[in-house]
Structure formats: structure tokens, C-alpha cells
Amino acid sequence: MIRTVEPPPHTSAPVLAAYSYCEAVTGQQARNFAYGIRLLPTSKRRAMSALYAFSRRVDDIGDGALAGDVKAARLEDTRAMLTRVREGSVAEDDTDPVAVALAHAAETFPIPLSGLDELIDGVLMDVRGETYETWDDLKVYCRCVAGAIGRLSLGVFGTEPGARAAERAPEYADTLGLALQLTNILRDVREDAEDGRTYLPADDLAKFGCSAGFKGPKPPEGADFAGLVHFEVRRARALFAEGYRLLPMLDRRSGACVAAMAGIYRRLLDRIERDPEAVLRGRVSLPGREKAYVAVRGLSGLDARHVTRRPVRRRA
């Protein structure tokens, strides 16, 4: 069982300032994520903001315009900062607010910091321009950049005492991360292509006549683009169904946070399924009022109750 550790009653001014910086980064750059974590109590919200700010730094290095060798060096510098956090050698007056906030969060909650090493490994895969032949290949990448975030988040959330099958919570958190990442990949397929990146498995692209890529507002000539999208949507839905088994294991507000974030992406998936070519014309997104509705639904516990009515199937 993963138990939540309660924070100490007093947090110093430098640590509070570091958390404020991380929360500002989260609010400005992660609107879907921010919708979810605002449902958490203060200590958990701050810890999640620290995780996001570190992750944002890693992603920004990978997505930037620097040469590949410079990106790799900066990612290793970031890994060195993570090592300082892990060793407990980050002082409260350190000049890096992300390091300060992350160090405090890691002292407060049982966060598996190795997940952030996995994130760096995943972004290094982007820097090297890796492509993926099969879904099993792509899963390795998705587990690094998203499944790891699910497991890190679970360290903050904890599981409820007596939760059934709680030992499988990290597995479900990882799977939910994969579902979110595959949805991201579908949403950003043209943007990624314009940046020279292809994430969807080559086997799937070939099966649906899409190996030529997606650099315009129309699919390749003769391609079954809708078939490809619907195939990947079904895969993502199966991952969501598996990952949602995490919800009954969480306390009400942590469950609401997860349900809100996952619910936003599930609705994105619905939109993509209805109009597959929309992802080639521009970024598919949800209006703020719909995100707010998803958050309220998460707080109501509807998603968690729906999951508990389903039998838990064991994987072969």
C-alpha cells in the first residue's frame, strides 16, 4: 500500500516561494494539468506543481532549437540536479526554485524520483530522433515520458487504507499515463510531423497506407487515415479502461484530480474519433466550460463509482 505522508505544519518562506514559482509555471503552461491539480489539498497541489515544473524544464530542453549534443548535455545537467535532490543536498536558499520545491516535495511524500530519470531518458530518445516500429516499441517511450509521471503522481496521492488490489496501483497509474500520451500523439500528429518527429508505430502507418507522413491538412493520397485514427483510438480507450481502475484506490480529492485530467483527454479522444482529419487541420482542444464540467464530475466521484461496478480482470 502507498500511504500519503502528511506535511509538516510549517513551511519556510524560501520553500513557499519556490512552490509559488512552480505553481506559476504550471498555471501558465499546463492548462489541462492545472484543471486537475486545483482539486487537490494545498500540500499535494504544491508537490504536483514541483513535479510538473521539473518535467516542463526537461520537455523544453527536448523541444528547443539547440543542437542535439547541447540538448543532451543540458539534460544531463538536469539529471545532476535530480541527483542533488535525491541525496538531500539542496538547501532551502538554493538559487533554483524547482530544485528547492522538488526537494521539499520528495521529503514530504514518498515520490519515486527514479521516474524523473525515466522522463529524461524518454526525452533523450526524442533528441536522438528515434522512431518506433511497433506498439511495443512505442510503449517503452510512452512509459518513460508519461507512465513514469503517473507513478510519480501516485507517490503524492497515496492509496486509501484497505483499498482492494492496491498493490496494482502503480501498474494502473502507468497505464493511465500511456493512455494520455497516446491521445497526445494523435492530437499532435501534424505538429510533430512538421518538427520531423513520427511517434505512431511504423507497422500501423503501413497497415493504413500512411507511411508518407502528415505534413499537410490532408492525409496522404490513398491513405485510410480515418482507419488509422480509429485503430489508435480503440487502443487508447482500452488503456483508459485499464488505468481507470486506479480511481477507487484513491482518496476523494486525489481521485477527482485524476478523473479530471483523464476525463479531459478522454473527451479529446471523442472529438478526434468523430472527426479524424481535424488533427491535420489544427490542434483539437476543449473549451474551458467543458473542462470545468469534467472537474465537477470528478469531484462527484461518478467515474470512480463506475469503475467499482466493473469486475477487475487479471492480465494473463
Side-chain angles (χ1 to χ4, degrees):
M1 179 186 301
I2 301 171
R3 295 186 182 275
T4 297
V5 177
E6 288 303 315
H10 173 72
T11 305
S12 70
V15 171
L16 288 175
Y19 276 133
S20 293
Y21 172 84
C22 293
E23 290 190 281
V25 170
T26 303
Q28 292 166 7
Q29 301 190 40
R31 293 182 181 179
N32 290 346
F33 187 80
Y35 258 92
I37 67 170
R38 71 177 59 177
L39 302 175
L40 295 170
T42 301
S43 60
K44 291 185 179 182
R45 187 185 71 245
R46 288 172 177 165
M48 291 294 290
S49 294
L51 287 173
Y52 177 81
F54 181 92
S55 302
R56 181 76 264 163
R57 179 177 295 181
V58 172
D59 286 344
D60 285 347
I61 294 171
D63 292 339
L66 298 171
D69 58 340
V70 178
K71 289 182 179 181
R74 293 200 175 182
L75 287 169
E76 292 307 326
D77 288 343
T78 307
R79 199 191 301 273
M81 182 266 269
L82 180 58
T83 298
R84 290 199 299 125
V85 171
R86 186 180 289 112
E87 293 174 347
S89 61
V90 176
E92 288 189 354
D93 60 353
D94 193 283
T95 57
D96 185 342
V98 176
V100 173
L102 185 60
H104 187 269
E107 290 173 359
T108 306
F109 298 100
I111 299 172
L113 292 174
S114 60
L116 293 175
D117 281 301
E118 292 180 56
L119 173 63
I120 294 171
D121 292 339
V123 174
L124 282 168
M125 294 167 76
D126 282 336
V127 171
R128 293 193 295 265
E130 293 193 18
T131 55
Y132 309 96
E133 289 297 316
T134 67
W135 168 237
D136 283 341
D137 296 333
L138 180 58
K139 275 197 294 188
V140 174
Y141 170 78
C142 291
R143 284 210 160 95
C144 285
V145 300
I149 300 301
R151 286 177 267 119
L152 287 156
S153 301
L154 184 61
V156 176
F157 298 148
T159 55
E160 283 282 81
R164 182 183 176 192
E167 71 280 359
R168 301 192 71 188
E171 173 191 340
Y172 295 143
D174 182 276
T175 301
L176 200 53
L178 264 63
L180 269 59
Q181 186 64 23
L182 183 53
T183 304
N184 267 338
I185 288 170
L186 287 173
R187 181 194 64 187
D188 298 340
V189 66
R190 181 179 174 185
E191 181 180 326
D192 289 333
E194 290 173 346
D195 289 339
R197 295 177 179 173
T198 302
Y199 291 103
L200 289 175
D203 283 358
D204 295 352
L205 296 175
K207 183 188 301 183
F208 293 95
C210 295
S211 297
F214 315 105
K215 293 189 177 180
K218 294 288 184 182
E221 188 70 27
D224 181 11
F225 182 70
L228 172 67
V229 169
H230 290 153
F231 178 79
E232 303 297 350
V233 165
R234 288 194 296 273
R235 175 176 280 155
R237 288 197 192 285
L239 292 168
F240 274 116
E242 179 80 2
Y244 259 54
R245 292 174 182 162
L246 175 66
L247 294 182
M249 302 176 185
L250 306 177
D251 66 72
R252 179 171 177 267
R253 291 177 71 176
S254 296
C257 171
V258 174
M261 288 189 285
I264 288 169
Y265 279 86
R266 286 180 72 185
R267 284 171 176 264
L268 281 175
L269 204 61
D270 290 342
R271 290 188 172 214
I272 292 168
E273 183 179 40
R274 287 195 298 269
D275 183 7
E277 290 190 24
V279 298
L280 299 179
R281 298 191 296 269
R283 172 165 286 209
V284 178
S285 62
L286 300 184
R289 65 181 179 277
E290 191 168 351
K291 293 179 183 179
Y293 167 76
V294 173
V296 170
R297 181 181 172 88
L299 272 175
S300 73
L302 286 173
D303 293 306
R305 290 198 294 272
H306 179 66
V307 172
T308 57
R309 289 195 294 268
R310 295 181 176 181
V312 177
R313 297 192 302 271
R314 300 282 180 177
R315 288 179 176 173

